[in-house]
Amino acid sequence: MREAAALLLGSHDFAGFQSKKGRETTVRTVHQCKIEDAADGLMIAMEGNGFMRHMCRILAGTLLEVGCGIREPSQIKVI
């Protein structure tokens, strides 16, 4: 999961991680994406210059899919 989270850092087109189409631009910059163990599970913290509606939820779900072995970390680049 941390490997996949590192691939999210920087400026990218996050069109595949939006819940609603039709935005003028889907390029966003993610400055930080941390995954930490918590007492009752995991904590995923993201920091960026702006997020689209449900973008963080979709990113967190995708990172969990990586952690569960459903996706490979490299798939983050092509979503």
Side-chain angles (χ1 to χ4, degrees), residues 1-2 4-12 14 28-36 43-51 55-56 59-60 63:
M1 287 177 68
R2 287 179 177 88
L7 296 174
L8 297 172
L9 300 179
S11 294
H12 305 284
F14 286 97
R28 301 290 189 270
T29 302
V30 175
H31 302 294
Q32 190 174 67
C33 184
K34 284 199 243 180
I35 300 170
E36 298 177 3
M43 182 185 76
I44 300 173
M46 296 177 221
E47 182 180 311
N49 70 342
F51 296 100
M55 179 178 161
C56 291
L59 287 171
L63 291 171

